[in-house]
């Protein structure tokens, strides 16, 4: 998360990104990527390991896309399934504060719906291994129409260990999504 996002995002939009990052941790995604990130930042070792690390990152790209989508699904449930909140958040961080005023969130949602009909990845998505904002949104729109999706978004009582998350996101509803109970498809 970037510090500037706190300034430009609403509380609900920031909740989406915070819950996305927390979901990565809770779903175990960091166990695989953190060692690579650490090795990339250890001076001379990183120079020696540059090629092997890039090969590892490239090999993990399909998994990384699935991990991001899993975290996005949890975060969507955390904002009550409101796709328009996610669309606004993604548009703001993609366009930036100065250009966001020229972005139509409704138009962005329409673009994402059209994109969901295409399975072809863009050059950017292939090279970086990350989905573009419109494709992320299109996948979340499709997910939000799944049977029983509304049940994921209902607020649930949390054990005390979720106190920090409640303080981080304030009064926002945080759904308790349990992939192991079958509420979501298995995480990558």
């Amino acid at each position: 998360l970037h510090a500037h996002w706190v300034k430009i995002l609403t509380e609900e939009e920031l909740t989406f990104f915070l819950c996305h990052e927390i979901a990565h941790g809770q779903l175990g995604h960091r166990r695989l990527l953190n060692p690579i990130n650490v090795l990339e930042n250890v001076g001379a070792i990183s120079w020696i390991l540059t090629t092997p690390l890039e090969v590892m990152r490239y090999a993990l790209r399909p998994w990384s896309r699935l991990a991001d989508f899993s975290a996005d699904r949890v975060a969507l449930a955390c904002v009550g399934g409101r796709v328009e909140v996610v669309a606004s958040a993604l548009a703001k961080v993609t366009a930036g504060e100065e250009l966001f005023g020229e972005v139509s969130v409704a138009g962005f949602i329409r673009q994402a719906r059209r994109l969901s009909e295409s399975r072809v990845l863009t050059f950017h998505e292939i090279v970086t291994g990350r989905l573009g904002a419109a494709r992320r949104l299109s996948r979340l729109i499709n997910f939000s129409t799944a049977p029983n999706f509304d049940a994921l978004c209902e607020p649930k009582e949390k054990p005390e260990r979720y106190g920090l998350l409640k303080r981080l996101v304030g009064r926002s509803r945080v759904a308790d999504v349990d992939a192991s109970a079958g509420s979501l498809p298995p995480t990558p």
Side-chain angles (χ1 to χ4, degrees), residues 3 13 37 40 66 86 89 98 113-114 116 139 142 154 165 179 182:
E13 294 164 350
N37 294 336
E40 283 181 332
L66 292 173
V86 177
E98 292 177 10
R113 286 199 168 115
R114 283 194 308 272
S116 71
R139 288 185 173 188
N142 289 340
E154 294 173 4
L165 179 58

Side-chain angles (χ1 to χ4, degrees), residues 33-54 57:
L33 295 177
N34 280 351
I36 295 171
N37 294 336
V38 168
L39 288 173
E40 283 181 332
N41 295 304
V42 183
I45 294 174
S46 67
W47 183 80
I48 294 167
L49 295 176
T50 297
T51 301
L53 289 173
E54 285 306 310
R57 277 198 181 280

Side-chain angles (χ1 to χ4, degrees), residues 11-12 14-15 18-19 78 162-174:
E11 183 178 316
E12 288 180 320
L14 191 56
T15 298
L18 285 171
C19 290
C78 289
Y162 289 101
L164 175 62
L165 179 58
K166 285 182 181 178
R167 288 193 300 274
L168 282 173
V169 298
R171 297 182 312 265
S172 298
R173 297 181 332 161
V174 178

Side-chain angles (χ1 to χ4, degrees), residues 15-27:
T15 298
F16 171 77
F17 285 113
L18 285 171
C19 290
H20 172 96
E21 294 305 325
I22 292 168
H24 276 308
Q26 292 296 313
L27 295 170

Side-chain angles (χ1 to χ4, degrees), residues 16-144:
F16 171 77
F17 285 113
L18 285 171
C19 290
H20 172 96
E21 294 305 325
I22 292 168
H24 276 308
Q26 292 296 313
L27 295 170
H29 300 158
R30 300 286 179 226
R31 285 187 302 238
L32 195 54
L33 295 177
N34 280 351
I36 295 171
N37 294 336
V38 168
L39 288 173
E40 283 181 332
N41 295 304
V42 183
I45 294 174
S46 67
W47 183 80
I48 294 167
L49 295 176
T50 297
T51 301
L53 289 173
E54 285 306 310
V55 169
M56 288 170 60
R57 277 198 181 280
Y58 187 78
L60 289 172
R61 284 181 180 165
W63 177 87
S64 182
R65 278 193 291 269
L66 292 173
D68 265 343
F69 182 50
S70 293
D72 278 350
R73 291 182 301 186
V74 171
L76 176 63
C78 289
V79 294
R82 292 189 308 279
V83 172
E84 65 280 357
V85 170
V86 177
S88 178
L90 290 172
K92 281 181 185 176
V93 300
T94 302
E97 184 178 15
E98 292 177 10
L99 295 177
F100 177 71
E102 299 176 30
V103 174
S104 162
V105 174
F108 185 42
I109 292 171
R110 283 192 305 275
Q111 176 190 19
R113 286 199 168 115
R114 283 194 308 272
L115 187 59
S116 71
E117 299 166 6
S118 169
R119 297 220 180 261
V120 179
L121 294 177
T122 66
F123 180 73
H124 167 79
E125 292 166 339
I126 293 168
V127 171
T128 65
R130 299 190 60 92
L131 295 179
R135 182 150 340 253
R136 282 176 74 182
L137 183 60
S138 74
R139 288 185 173 188
L140 289 174
I141 290 169
N142 289 340
F143 179 68
S144 70

